Amino acid sequence: MKKIRKICCIGAGYVGGPTMAVIADKCPHLEINVVDINKNRIKAWNDNDLSKLPIFEPGLEEIIKKRRNQNLFFSTQVEDQIKNADMIFISVNTPTKTHGIGAGFASDLRWIESCARQIAKYAEGHTIIVEKSTLPVRTAEKIKSILDLSLKGNKPKNANLQFSVLSNPEFLAEGTAIDDLINPDRILIGGDDMEAIKLLEDIYSNWIDKNKILKTNIWSSELSKLIANAFLAQRISSINSVSALCEKTGANVIEVSRAIGMDSRIGNKFLNAGPGFGGSCFKKDILNLIYICEFYGLKEVAKYWKSVLDINYWQQNRISSLIIDKLFGTISGKKISIFGFAFKSNTNDTRESPAINICKNFLNEGCELLIYDPKVNEKEIASELGKNEKNVDPNIGNWHKFYTIEDSVKNADAIVILTEWEEFKNIKWDLISELMRKPAWVFDTRNICKKEEITKSDINFWQVGISDKES
Ligand code: UDX
Ligand code: UDX
């Protein structure tokens, strides 16, 4: 039977980087080469200053320190590493298409296809290809046909060239990626080549209990990843819809979440109301699901999943309008502090962050945003909100990034908490109150603050999902 010694991972992003770091740590007998076409990203992965790694994940620095240049290597040598590899993971991005058929919904598979073509050209011997990227159902089939076509024109020196394609979706969540990789709920492997499945299973068995390794056919595996994300997003839209109802009726969404979450059939996770879900996966995967349903003529099913996205936009816009309303119906020329720009805590990732839409809503009303986030840098904010030019049209509003909480609240009329960073839970509100213009407001869209501490500091307080009468 074939032996796996060398692994190549194409794509050194949020998925490829941490996943390979953990495999390298748990399997010191394997050599792992993570390759990427983005030179700057690879340079950052190789930086001696570990605080410059391209992504922030608790626990990642320690593993990189231990394994980098031992059995974990980052480079741009895509072709060489494909040639050397016994197993190749594909972890490139699959964004929503912006042009052509399916634009706005379908996944753009151009990078997946280009990976398949590169593998077809450079691989040697029996090579196992593992889809890590979240992909539309039946993508493995496309990869396999590109690879099989290449076999037909095969030169004699490569006569033993052979490909197996497996689906092995990654379920890690950002901010807890390392822990999720070390202690996953399950590992899903889809495919029909029993030998290839066994070889991949053997890698995971180095640290994961065999009964957590689930084997399915390849289409179930691809679809399960889309559906897991769709179900998680659906729970958030459900609880966010309930948050609005709680605010109207006098119920408290925290109490409702707790009460329903204790029902073991419902479970207590993913029931926190908030400003709407963000992140690179939920929206993209639901759009993709909608596209697949429509492709197969399942219009009602497509409509059902679309409503999950509709509620998500609605919640962001509802919260924006409500804040403007509380600030006497106008925020033109006012200062609003934004606490948190990342789509969740413990990550520097801003992709699809609810902060983007909410900040844009405020900027369109001509206010000045004072943004504080412990991990998101100014360049990242600029790529979402546009440059913060000095002399902008006062009707359009402007933003500034600050490096301390205190600096970001000077003369502010309101603070809007958008990310649940730990440090926002321990703020000395009486000190903050002195720095703000009155009447001052705190809008807590994550329900992380203690009401009494804020109101006793002479600041008005609003919380998502809790009626004014109560808060
Ligand atoms: C991506 C997908 O978005 C997600 O759906 C999937 O589950 C895993 O891969 P992520 O790792 O967060 O998630 O993406 P990203 O951080 O953008 O990393 C992808 C990397 O692939 C980038 O660094 C990009 O430069 C690289 N890439 C892309 C290649 O090396 N080669 C290519 O042809 C295309
Ligand atoms: C998600 C999936 O959890 C993961 O399995 C998959 O591999 C990738 O997509 P991620 O996007 O990194 O992971 O983070 P997640 O913790 O799922 O949070 C997504 C969004 O939902 C965040 O904006 C978060 O703040 C929000 N959320 C989550 C809520 O608003 N309420 C909750 O109760 C939970």
Side-chain angles (χ1 to χ4, degrees):
M1 187 162 162
K2 183 184 163 68
K3 244 187 148 93
I4 304 293
R5 289 187 188 87
K6 292 191 179 184
I7 288 181
C8 168
C9 171
I10 310 178
Y14 282 87
V15 171
T19 307
M20 292 303 126
V22 169
I23 295 183
D25 198 34
K26 298 292 180 188
C27 309
H29 56 287
L30 296 176
E31 179 186 313
I32 306 206
N33 287 284
V34 186
V35 295
D36 200 296
I37 47 174
N38 182 335
K39 288 195 185 85
N40 289 335
R41 211 163 207 186
I42 290 299
K43 200 164 154 236
W45 278 111
N46 283 321
D47 205 305
N48 285 334
D49 178 356
L50 290 173
S51 68
K52 294 214 175 104
L53 292 182
I55 61 175
F56 169 75
E57 273 299 332
L60 179 64
E61 281 184 22
E62 287 80 349
I63 300 184
I64 296 293
K65 199 168 157 191
K66 211 171 10 147
R67 303 293 3 154
R68 196 175 56 190
N69 298 330
Q70 299 297 316
N71 67 329
L72 176 65
F73 305 89
F74 294 92
S75 78
T76 51
Q77 299 164 349
V78 182
E79 296 164 11
D80 287 348
Q81 296 310 336
I82 288 177
K83 200 179 283 178
N84 292 335
D86 303 304
M87 185 177 269
I88 300 173
F89 286 79
I90 302 183
S91 301
V92 298
N93 39 335
T94 49
T96 306
K97 273 180 92 172
T98 50
H99 300 94
I101 297 169
F105 288 91
S107 281
D108 192 338
L109 296 179
R110 76 175 88 169
W111 291 288
I112 296 287
E113 179 172 337
S114 92
C115 284
R117 287 186 190 277
Q118 277 177 311
I119 295 170
K121 195 160 166 199
Y122 298 107
E124 291 182 354
H126 180 193
T127 307
I128 299 170
I129 291 99
V130 184
E131 298 176 340
K132 258 289 165 213
S133 304
T134 306
L135 295 167
V137 191
R138 307 203 86 91
T139 305
E141 204 169 45
K142 291 179 190 152
I143 297 178
K144 191 87 175 56
S145 27
I146 293 172
L147 297 173
D148 286 346
L149 277 175
S150 80
L151 290 179
K152 293 199 176 131
N154 200 6
K155 299 181 199 99
K157 82 170 172 62
N158 237 347
N160 55 354
L161 187 61
Q162 188 191 330
F163 297 111
S164 308
V165 181
L166 301 177
S167 158
N168 172 221
E170 184 46 64
F171 295 97
L172 67 81
E174 287 176 33
T176 53
I178 301 300
D179 191 46
D180 293 342
L181 286 161
I182 295 174
N183 302 301
D185 286 343
R186 79 309 208 178
I187 293 291
L188 183 55
I189 303 179
D192 53 18
D193 177 339
M194 289 309 161
E195 185 188 339
I197 292 172
K198 169 86 174 61
L199 289 166
L200 183 56
E201 187 182 10
D202 285 348
I203 294 177
Y204 287 114
S205 305
N206 282 293
W207 77 100
I208 294 161
D209 204 290
K210 277 214 178 213
N211 60 26
K212 281 194 173 177
I213 303 178
L214 214 68
K215 286 163 253 173
T216 65
N217 77 32
I218 205 151
W219 326 128
S220 301
S221 170
E222 288 178 335
L223 186 63
S224 299
K225 171 67 203 217
L226 283 189
I227 299 301
N229 277 346
F231 264 60
L232 291 168
Q234 176 214 46
R235 266 173 91 94
I236 301 169
S237 279
S238 297
I239 200 67
N240 284 342
S241 74
V242 171
S243 75
L245 190 59
C246 287
E247 287 164 32
K248 297 279 182 213
T249 57
N252 174 323
V253 78
I254 302 174
E255 292 174 357
V256 174
S257 293
R258 188 147 181 260
I260 63 168
M262 284 175 79
D263 185 324
S264 61
R265 293 168 302 175
I266 296 175
N268 60 10
K269 294 193 179 136
F270 264 71
L271 284 178
N272 293 325
F277 56 78
S280 70
C281 287
F282 285 177
K283 180 176 154 196
K284 168 174 74 76
D285 291 351
I286 294 181
L287 285 171
N288 194 212
L289 186 61
I290 294 169
Y291 181 72
I292 295 173
C293 293
E294 279 180 349
F295 178 83
Y296 287 107
L298 301 168
K299 286 209 172 345
E300 284 70 19
V301 183
K303 209 167 133 198
Y304 172 74
W305 287 109
K306 184 166 177 298
S307 71
V308 172
L309 291 181
D310 292 344
I311 288 286
N312 201 47
Y313 295 126
W314 175 79
Q315 178 81 339
Q316 293 169 12
N317 294 335
R318 178 179 89 81
I319 289 176
S320 310
S321 307
L322 174 153
I323 292 173
I324 296 168
D325 197 47
K326 297 251 185 242
L327 298 176
F328 304 121
T330 173
I331 54 168
S332 173
K334 289 183 180 166
K335 292 185 177 182
I336 297 186
S337 307
I338 299 295
F339 279 17
F341 200 81
F343 79 96
K344 63 187 275 196
S345 64
N346 289 322
T347 177
N348 58 346
D349 195 350
T350 62
R351 289 177 291 179
E352 301 297 336
S353 175
I356 301 167
N357 187 21
I358 294 175
C359 285
K360 282 185 179 163
N361 285 339
F362 291 154
L363 289 173
N364 284 337
E365 296 290 322
C367 88
E368 192 179 336
L369 296 178
L370 318 174
I371 304 177
Y372 172 76
D373 187 293
K375 289 288 173 201
V376 177
N377 63 35
E378 185 157 351
K379 204 169 136 216
E380 215 51 64
I381 300 174
S383 76
E384 303 290 1
L385 299 183
K387 279 208 175 117
N388 54 345
E389 311 286 356
K390 283 235 157 56
N391 301 312
V392 290
D393 176 348
N395 293 321
I396 293 174
N398 203 359
W399 63 269
H400 304 278
K401 154 100 183 158
F402 289 89
Y403 294 86
T404 67
I405 289 181
E406 290 73 21
D407 286 344
S408 74
V409 298
K410 285 191 185 134
N411 293 320
D413 298 278
I415 294 170
V416 183
I417 300 173
L418 292 178
T419 314
E420 72 285 20
W421 285 104
E422 202 56 34
E423 62 190 273
F424 300 153
K425 296 179 186 166
N426 306 309
I427 289 176
K428 302 261 175 288
W429 288 106
D430 39 354
L431 299 181
I432 298 294
S433 174
E434 283 171 22
L435 298 169
M436 296 178 75
R437 190 168 86 143
K438 299 292 161 11
W441 276 90
V442 168
F443 297 92
D444 181 3
T445 72
R446 294 282 188 173
N447 280 338
I448 55 170
C449 293
K450 292 197 184 77
K451 177 186 157 193
E452 319 72 59
E453 286 178 18
I454 294 184
T455 49
K456 81 168 192 257
S457 310
D458 196 21
I459 303 178
N460 297 305
F461 187 50
W462 175 90
Q463 284 175 275
V464 69
I466 299 178
S467 80
D468 280 344
K469 275 173 253 117
E470 233 204 280
S471 74

